[in-house]
Amino acid sequence: MAVCGAQATASEQAWLESAHTFIQATLFPAGQEPNKQLTLSVIDCVKKTWLSQRENRDFTLPLSYSFVSVQNLKTQQSLPCCSHLSWSTNAYQTWSQGAGSGGRVLPRQQLLLLGTLIDLSGDWEQECRSGGLYVRDNTGLLGCELIDLDLSWLGHLFLFPSWSYLPPAKKNSMGEGHLELWGAPVPVFPLTISPGPLSPIPVLYPAKASRLLRHRKKHKVKEPNLAGKLVRLSALVVTQNKRYFIMTLGELSEADSQAGSQVSIIVQIPAQMGWHRVLRPDRAYVLTKLRVTRTRGYRHYIWTTIPSSDLIPLRPDSVRELELDVPFLGADLTPLPQPTSSRDSRAQDGHVRNSKVLHYSGTVTRVLNESASLYILDGQLILCLAYQQIHGLRRVIRPGVRLELRDVHLLQAVGEETRPILALCLHGTVLLQHFSCLKPETLPSFEVYGASLYEQLVWEYQLGLPLYLWAMKALKELASKLCPSVLRYQQFLKHSSPGNPSLALQLLAPSWDALIPPGGPIRHAHSEILEEPHNCPHQKYAQLRTPYSFPTLFALEKEGQHRAWATFDPKALLPLSEAAHLTSCQLNRHLAWSWLCLPSSVFQPTQVLLGVLVASSKKGCLQLRDLKASLPCMPLTETSQPLTDPKLIGCLVRVEKFQLVVEREVRSSFPSWKELDTPDFIQKKHARVYIQFFLSDAMILPVPRPTSDSEPPQTDPSCPEGPHGGQSRLFLLSHKEALMKRNFFVLPGAGSQPPKPALSFCASGTWLCGTQRKERSGWGPPQSLGVENKDQKVSLIFLGSSVRWFPFLYPNQVYRLVAPGPPQTATLFETEGPSGTSQRPLELAGIQSCLTVQDEWTLELGSSQDIPNMQEISRTLPKSSLTHLLSDKSNNVYCCFRPSTSVQVLSFPPETKVRAPLPHIYLSELLQGGQGQVPFQATTFCHIVLVLSLQILWVCAHCTSISPQGRCSRQDHNCPAQTAISQANVRLLVEDGTAEATVTCRNHHVAAALGLSPSEWTAILECARGPGRVALQFKGPGAQTESEPLALFLRTLCDSPSVLRPVQLSFALEKRPSDITPQEPARLQQFQCGELPLLTRVKPRLRLVCLSLQEPELPSPLEIFAASS
């Protein structure tokens, strides 16, 4: 070193001393004396590489470069970088320009890297080699990638003139960085070139080797050597911690490359896994000392290597063909029968497509999903590498990397993806042609985690490519709904194992059975690589319609609102026969509220609800919540039992069968029915969306707590119960008031501002036992209560955050009120806190204590083991169901709704909209009150006996004043309406032989009652427009003789047989029969039967409202004959 630095400048001398120190620390073997020759060789190697560029010849040493060790790279270099000692500035600029104008080029660092190139990680044994490459010095080792490896380089010390270093991603700090070695490394010492064999190596070429393998029993050759051109290289397969790959050799000349002239060799010796990096298709090789073996899952024999086998590049002058003078070798050229694919037998024309196998070279332009091994090639093709185990290659692939794909499958229009897809199976391989000059992109967390989960989908669940792409999309939708607020990405996308299932797979699994056909072929690596005709998951594929999707609750809410307003049609909500007779006020009131129910079956593809069930303290209802939004929901049990278990709060809910209900609120000012087509009269509209479903249709999963490996759980030494200590008390709920805004008290220090009503509710009940403390095995024994405190009644006030318990509280249920934390005073649940009870305007008769539920307290449903004297409690529960109330003999129960009354829904209305036909009864059955069997609506056959009154009006649509000639008669002339509407009603007397009834028909039912066609009724209405009012009284006070033509016509019509006729009447009771209101006594009435008068008592007439009136269907003569016979 003194000689080298004799004439060196001070800066060169300092550089040489630094180099000497670095070489001694990082390159000398531990425990050996410093070797001056090693130092000189390293410096000479650096100088020669440096001076290989003309622009560097002014400086004999790269003074601007400093040496870096493996450990320094791993610990100090936190950003991606590159170093190119042998490159000129122009060469680096040209290299950088390949990234384009928007590319993020790797920054250049002036670092010198030396190390030994090895294929063994650490101090592992030879059996642990995995095919990876490493650079090692005294400070450690670092994984690396090399485009073209020479086996003679392994174990030698090199200077790496061009390399790039990529540290581990921030979101994956547990991993390690890696090196990308550009070009060939420069050996510090000249490599020893092994001399060729003294005599040519006897080899078998593929044609003879294949036939010899077939007739191995007739002629045996001990450990033959095989030579040929590499025509196919499989992927490196990892199964049960064993690695292997299969290479296929063909004849050297194209003329001899025929079917059957190829031979496959399986390489499964750990020390030979590095061959996979060396082998390149279309190059010729010699493999020595092979044997015959049989692999599991493949029924034919195959050549295999042994530990003493070598891989040698083929040179024609160093080999000779082994002559085998055996007659059968030239006679038997029939290929072996190949098994057919079970998938082919099930394929149906038009539904299953065949992929194309080809070779392709392209540049990665985008990373779709790194964990799922999905990329974009050349901006047009999707590359899927998920069906190969590319653990080492995955860290290298990024935009700018150039790949060569051998025997890759081309698939068109797979599922929703319209771009062509290139997918590799184990039969093909991917070769690295060029590294990227770009820095790695900052990937979303979803694309960083989950690699092992995606491998599980491919290898364990055997998903085909269409279903795999859908699963990737579905997992992305799920992650966007849950991560990172509910779950961390690494928690959600973790690998599933027995006893520790993956939450992601649990959410996808319910439809696996329907999506994955039973009895499908199991993927086997040996068969996939070796069998002909080729059979793999990509060989045949079918179009897959999206099974279902996981929309965000925000998107689902917007979809529901869009459909609700798209189907909003005022004319559909109000039939013209009804709307034409409504005033403006009535019309707008009918349109003010409507609803639309969307079952899950109307969404295509099927929408699956997913969210965390939360109880809102601001609204007092249950909600499904994800990262985007929250929707009110109503989960019910199919047994019509109330939802009482608060443990459901915080659980993850997955629902496929649900109903999306949209309530529409409209503020409108339609003048009349004629303007219903004009949307300008709608001033404001609002839609409220909520979800209803049955718990039996839902998958409910507990959400795992986020784990942190950095900090252990802390416990308070003063608390014997640890972090789960606390107190609780059981109570029986007897009454719950409605949720509303109340003024309970003014908080201390609230100032002079008047208090605002707060959402709250009250509940009353009975303490069942004393306070209990938390123990390790559960709740301890309750504290003893005095005789005066037994069955103590309590009023609980829920406000603030405690309002969230409102949906779970239900009368006659036992609950446990829990105060977490260390034990406090024994009277925690007995005394009122500093909330100012005296300021509450609340008087509860019979209530001994009043307690405000604190925000941090929780509520649990009492279990049968915790409830003392369960039999006594069950006997004290009041029977207050509506059925019991209606069983009273009077059959008259009036429920008065008060603001403090709580109402809960127990069941949903039936999904079917088909209404049962109205029952057919006799009118006398309506007079048999008091037995609870009187229908409110029914149908009867009756006869119109008399028209009692008839009235036709034309009124103002705005103020309902009489409108002669269609003009409002209001005297102040301030009515803004310019439209008049017609209204009509007729009162009929009907009887069916058992009783009489007065029937009121209104508007369009009047035409049916009078037996008029629509055109005739319209003409009569137009005639009545002139006077504005036509009223006829046919009997009793007010009956008179009309002189007007219209009135005279209507009177004549009402007395004619066309009106007084038998009809089929559907009706509703104008008023329900009651035993409380005394009925009118029966009256005497005389009937004329021929010449004989009959006098009898007749019950009072019924009062009915017409729902529809139709002509009776007369039986045909054939039916009359059949009935008489």
Side-chain angles (χ1 to χ4, degrees):
M1 179 175 176
V3 176
C4 296
Q7 300 178 355
T9 63
S11 58
E12 291 177 341
Q13 186 65 31
W15 188 91
L16 291 173
E17 292 178 358
S18 175
H20 177 74
T21 303
F22 174 82
I23 294 170
Q24 283 187 339
T26 60
L27 299 181
F28 278 125
Q32 295 186 12
E33 293 295 329
N35 188 346
K36 184 180 295 186
Q37 183 62 36
L38 175 61
T39 304
L40 294 176
S41 298
V42 170
I43 295 177
D44 288 342
C45 180
V46 173
K47 289 175 60 177
K48 289 180 182 180
T49 307
W50 169 257
L51 296 175
S52 62
Q53 294 296 326
R54 293 182 179 179
E55 64 181 26
N56 298 334
R57 293 181 179 178
D58 295 338
F59 304 92
T60 56
L61 292 174
L63 301 180
S64 60
Y65 280 77
S66 60
F67 290 90
V68 63
S69 65
V70 169
Q71 183 180 8
N72 288 341
L73 269 182
K74 296 167 66 174
T75 58
Q76 299 179 10
Q77 188 64 37
S78 59
L79 298 176
C81 65
C82 67
S83 178
H84 301 287
L85 178 65
S86 60
W87 285 18
S88 64
T89 304
N90 294 333
Y92 176 75
Q93 291 177 352
T94 303
W95 178 72
S96 302
Q97 291 174 359
S101 58
R104 301 170 56 199
V105 183
L106 287 167
R108 187 176 185 178
Q109 300 289 336
Q110 295 176 326
L111 299 173
L112 297 174
L113 179 65
L114 294 102
T116 303
L117 193 63
I118 61 174
D119 63 346
L120 187 64
S121 176
D123 298 328
W124 291 356
E125 299 294 335
Q126 294 287 332
E127 291 75 12
C128 297
R129 293 186 178 183
S130 60
L133 286 180
Y134 304 89
V135 172
R136 182 182 64 187
D137 61 13
N138 291 349
T139 64
L141 78 164
L142 192 60
C144 66
E145 293 293 333
L146 188 62
I147 293 178
D148 200 353
L149 175 67
D150 191 327
L151 289 177
S152 62
W153 296 349
L154 296 177
H156 293 277
L157 180 63
F158 286 95
L159 166 68
F160 303 101
S162 297
W163 53 271
S164 56
Y165 172 71
L166 282 82
K170 293 182 180 180
K171 297 178 180 178
N172 191 18
S173 57
M174 297 300 295
E176 291 187 351
H178 72 280
L179 289 168
E180 296 173 350
L181 304 180
W182 298 67
V186 179
V188 175
F189 300 102
L191 297 178
T192 303
I193 301 176
S194 59
L198 299 178
S199 60
I201 302 176
V203 298
L204 290 176
Y205 288 102
K208 288 186 178 180
S210 178
R211 290 194 290 270
L212 179 62
L213 182 66
R214 197 174 306 169
H215 299 281
R216 61 196 173 278
K217 294 183 179 180
K218 297 182 180 179
H219 186 82
K220 296 183 179 181
V221 179
K222 184 178 180 181
E223 297 181 355
N225 308 315
L226 267 62
K229 182 174 66 176
L230 184 65
V231 295
R232 186 178 301 116
L233 179 65
S234 78
L236 185 63
V237 183
V238 182
T239 57
Q240 298 178 352
N241 296 326
K242 294 182 180 180
R243 290 172 169 82
Y244 65 91
F245 65 90
I246 298 175
M247 54 186 296
T248 303
L249 298 179
E251 298 294 340
L252 297 179
S253 63
E254 295 292 338
D256 296 334
S257 297
Q258 304 172 359
S261 62
Q262 298 179 357
V263 62
S264 297
I265 304 101
I266 182 171
V267 180
Q268 48 191 354
I269 305 300
Q272 299 168 358
M273 291 300 102
W275 294 5
H276 195 267
R277 294 176 173 269
V278 177
L279 294 168
R280 286 294 181 269
D282 299 329
R283 296 183 186 178
Y285 299 95
V286 175
L287 281 85
T288 64
K289 299 181 180 180
L290 301 183
R291 291 181 181 176
V292 177
T293 186
R294 192 167 187 174
T295 62
R296 185 183 229 176
Y298 184 63
R299 60 179 182 176
H300 302 295
Y301 285 87
I302 187 175
W303 294 105
T304 184
T305 60
I306 59 176
S308 58
S309 299
D310 288 325
L311 176 67
I312 306 172
L314 176 61
R315 294 190 296 269
D317 56 347
S318 63
V319 297
R320 64 177 178 84
E321 186 174 3
L322 181 63
E323 298 293 338
L324 297 176
D325 189 12
V326 181
F328 69 85
L329 288 180
D332 187 8
L333 297 178
T334 306
L336 290 173
Q338 302 295 337
T340 59
S341 170
S342 59
R343 293 189 180 186
D344 294 347
S345 61
R346 297 200 314 269
Q348 299 179 5
D349 295 338
H351 298 282
V352 178
R353 296 183 179 182
N354 292 319
S355 63
K356 297 180 180 179
V357 180
L358 46 84
H359 304 324
Y360 185 84
S361 295
T363 302
V364 177
T365 55
R366 181 186 167 195
V367 178
L368 277 182
N369 191 319
E370 182 179 292
S371 299
S373 302
L374 292 174
Y375 310 90
I376 297 293
L377 282 182
D378 299 329
Q380 298 178 345
L381 302 172
I382 294 179
L383 172 62
C384 178
L385 301 178
Y387 291 79
Q388 288 195 351
Q389 296 150 319
I390 56 165
H391 303 94
L393 193 60
R394 184 184 291 116
R395 61 187 181 183
V396 178
I397 300 179
R398 63 184 185 275
V401 169
R402 186 164 183 82
L403 302 175
E404 179 185 359
L405 308 173
R406 307 284 299 190
D407 297 310
V408 63
H409 292 265
L410 174 64
L411 298 87
Q412 302 276 359
V414 179
E416 293 183 349
E417 187 56 60
T418 58
R419 290 172 291 188
I421 299 178
L422 293 175
L424 276 169
C425 65
L426 298 177
H427 187 70
T429 188
V430 54
L431 303 174
L432 189 62
Q433 289 186 328
H434 200 277
F435 291 114
S436 173
C437 61
L438 300 178
K439 293 189 293 185
E441 298 176 341
T442 302
L443 298 176
S445 298
F446 171 74
E447 299 182 12
V448 174
Y449 303 103
S452 59
L453 177 64
Y454 288 109
E455 290 182 5
Q456 192 173 18
L457 293 178
V458 171
W459 294 95
E460 184 174 329
Y461 287 90
Q462 304 282 320
L463 297 190
L465 183 58
L467 196 54
Y468 177 79
L469 294 177
W470 169 81
M472 188 271 294
K473 178 184 176 183
L475 289 175
K476 186 176 182 179
E477 292 177 349
L478 291 172
S480 66
K481 292 169 64 65
L482 302 176
C483 303
S485 296
V486 180
L487 285 171
R488 296 178 181 176
Y489 285 96
Q490 57 266 42
Q491 281 185 296
F492 178 69
L493 297 173
K494 72 175 183 178
H495 183 273
S496 184
S497 58
N500 190 18
S502 168
L503 182 61
L505 292 186
Q506 285 181 286
L507 296 175
L508 293 180
S511 296
W512 278 157
D513 296 338
L515 299 176
I516 303 177
I522 299 177
R523 190 180 183 195
H524 196 281
H526 293 97
S527 300
E528 187 172 315
I529 298 172
L530 295 171
E531 275 192 1
E532 294 294 341
H534 176 58
N535 180 29
C536 74
H538 307 320
Q539 185 66 25
K540 294 183 179 293
Y541 64 99
Q543 289 290 336
L544 176 69
R545 295 182 58 187
T546 302
Y548 48 82
S549 62
F550 297 88
T552 62
L553 296 178
F554 177 79
L556 191 65
E557 181 181 17
K558 293 301 180 183
E559 176 67 17
Q561 292 178 350
H562 171 73
R563 294 196 179 210
W565 295 120
T567 57
F568 178 72
D569 184 8
K571 289 188 174 181
L573 295 176
L574 283 176
L576 180 60
S577 58
E578 297 181 13
H581 308 286
L582 296 178
T583 63
S584 177
C585 181
Q586 294 172 331
L587 186 67
N588 293 299
R589 188 168 61 247
H590 278 77
L591 298 176
W593 184 87
S594 59
W595 59 275
L596 176 68
C597 184
L598 298 171
S600 54
S601 57
V602 305
F603 298 100
Q604 293 297 329
T606 302
Q607 308 284 300
V608 178
L609 282 179
L610 183 72
V612 179
L613 188 67
V614 297
S616 173
S617 59
K618 295 182 179 180
K619 297 184 178 180
C621 65
L622 293 178
Q623 292 179 336
L624 278 182
R625 181 176 298 172
D626 60 12
L627 297 186
K628 301 294 183 181
S630 58
L631 278 181
C633 66
M634 187 181 296
L636 293 181
T637 61
E638 289 187 342
T639 57
S640 298
Q641 295 298 318
L643 191 65
T644 57
D645 194 355
K647 289 183 179 180
L648 295 176
I649 294 181
C651 291
L652 195 62
V653 178
R654 180 191 186 277
V655 188
E656 291 188 32
K657 186 179 180 182
F658 61 92
Q659 290 180 336
L660 191 69
V661 182
V662 186
E663 295 182 359
R664 296 174 293 211
E665 297 179 3
V666 175
R667 184 191 299 171
S668 59
S669 58
F670 290 102
S672 67
W673 63 274
K674 297 180 179 179
E675 289 80 16
L676 290 179
D677 288 331
T678 307
D680 295 338
F681 290 101
I682 298 178
Q683 283 85 29
K684 185 179 179 180
K685 58 183 181 180
H686 172 72
R688 177 177 176 265
V689 183
Y690 63 92
I691 307 163
Q692 58 186 29
F693 59 90
F694 286 111
L695 287 176
S696 58
D697 296 329
M699 173 189 287
I700 300 176
L701 300 172
V703 177
R705 295 182 179 180
T707 57
S708 176
D709 300 331
S710 58
E711 297 183 1
Q714 300 292 329
T715 59
D716 187 358
S718 63
C719 179
E721 294 85 6
H724 302 289
Q727 301 178 85
S728 69
R729 196 170 183 183
L730 290 170
F731 69 95
L732 172 66
L733 185 69
S734 58
H735 175 70
K736 180 181 73 170
E737 295 184 355
L739 188 66
M740 62 174 61
K741 290 187 176 181
R742 295 179 174 90
N743 279 327
F744 270 117
F745 57 88
V746 179
L747 293 175
S752 59
Q753 295 292 334
K756 294 183 179 181
L759 197 65
S760 60
F761 70 96
C762 296
S764 58
T766 304
W767 293 120
L768 298 181
C769 61
T771 302
Q772 297 174 273
R773 291 189 177 185
K774 186 70 174 179
E775 297 179 352
R776 296 187 181 275
S777 58
W779 294 106
Q783 296 179 355
S784 59
L785 297 175
V787 179
E788 69 278 1
N789 293 329
K790 190 176 182 181
D791 297 333
Q792 180 184 11
K793 294 184 179 181
V794 62
S795 175
L796 300 175
I797 300 176
F798 294 81
L799 72 161
S801 297
S802 62
V803 171
R804 67 186 184 274
W805 306 115
F806 180 81
F808 297 99
L809 289 171
Y810 196 82
N812 305 334
Q813 297 290 334
V814 176
Y815 298 93
R816 181 184 294 276
L817 201 59
V818 181
Q824 302 177 20
T825 174
T827 59
L828 176 66
F829 299 110
E830 298 178 7
T831 60
E832 183 57 64
S835 55
T837 308
S838 59
Q839 299 182 19
R840 292 192 181 95
L842 186 65
E843 296 180 359
L844 300 173
I847 300 298
Q848 300 180 18
S849 63
C850 186
L851 183 64
T852 300
V853 179
Q854 304 299 315
D855 293 345
E856 65 273 10
W857 292 0
T858 59
L859 195 71
E860 298 177 1
L861 184 65
S863 61
S864 58
Q865 294 84 0
D866 298 335
I867 303 175
N869 302 324
M870 188 65 188
Q871 294 181 355
E872 296 182 8
I873 295 175
S874 61
R875 287 197 299 266
T876 62
L877 297 180
K879 297 181 180 180
S880 57
S881 64
L882 190 61
T883 304
H884 174 72
L885 294 175
L886 293 179
S887 63
D888 184 55
K889 293 182 179 181
S890 64
N891 196 29
N892 291 276
V893 176
Y894 293 88
C895 296
C896 179
F897 185 87
R898 294 184 177 180
S900 62
T901 303
S902 175
V903 178
Q904 288 182 280
V905 178
L906 296 181
S907 62
F908 300 133
E911 296 183 5
T912 58
K913 296 183 180 181
V914 180
R915 293 185 177 181
L918 297 178
H920 180 79
I921 65 171
Y922 294 102
L923 294 179
S924 59
E925 297 179 32
L926 299 176
L927 299 174
Q928 300 173 2
Q931 302 197 7
Q933 302 295 329
V934 179
F936 182 64
Q937 295 181 352
T939 301
T940 187
F941 290 101
C942 59
H943 191 279
I944 299 177
V945 178
L946 180 67
V947 177
L948 299 177
S949 65
L950 172 63
Q951 181 176 248
I952 301 176
L953 299 175
W954 280 91
V955 298
C956 175
H958 179 72
C959 65
T960 68
S961 300
I962 300 298
S963 300
Q965 302 296 333
R967 298 176 183 177
C968 181
S969 61
R970 190 170 175 177
Q971 295 182 356
D972 54 8
H973 303 288
N974 292 328
C975 183
Q978 302 294 329
T979 306
I981 60 171
S982 64
Q983 294 181 345
N985 64 80
V986 63
R987 292 180 67 246
L988 308 174
L989 177 63
V990 301
E991 59 88 17
D992 66 345
T994 64
E996 290 182 338
T998 59
V999 181
T1000 302
C1001 302
R1002 295 184 176 90
N1003 298 324
H1004 63 284
H1005 293 311
V1006 176
L1010 299 181
L1012 298 175
S1013 65
S1015 59
E1016 294 172 340
W1017 177 242
T1018 302
I1020 291 177
L1021 292 178
E1022 289 300 322
C1023 293
R1025 180 189 291 268
R1029 180 177 183 273
V1030 176
L1032 301 179
Q1033 188 74 24
F1034 293 87
K1035 187 177 181 181
Q1040 58 184 359
T1041 303
E1042 286 75 15
S1043 59
E1044 294 294 332
L1046 178 60
L1048 185 59
F1049 169 77
L1050 291 176
R1051 179 175 290 277
T1052 304
L1053 175 65
C1054 293
D1055 290 335
S1056 65
S1058 60
V1059 175
L1060 308 179
R1061 68 193 189 281
V1063 293
Q1064 180 179 348
L1065 176 67
S1066 297
F1067 63 88
L1069 294 177
E1070 192 173 278
K1071 184 179 179 182
R1072 284 183 179 272
S1074 174
D1075 290 341
I1076 298 177
T1077 304
Q1079 295 183 357
E1080 299 179 11
R1083 55 185 175 84
L1084 288 174
Q1085 184 173 350
Q1086 182 176 348
F1087 293 91
Q1088 191 72 25
C1089 183
E1091 297 180 355
L1092 298 176
L1094 297 177
L1095 189 66
T1096 184
R1097 293 186 178 275
V1098 179
K1099 289 188 176 182
R1101 294 172 179 173
L1102 297 166
R1103 299 171 64 182
L1104 310 177
V1105 177
C1106 175
L1107 299 178
S1108 68
L1109 192 145
Q1110 301 174 354
E1111 302 300 326
E1113 297 181 1
L1114 299 177
S1116 63
L1118 185 60
E1119 293 176 346
I1120 297 176
F1121 175 76
S1124 61
S1125 61

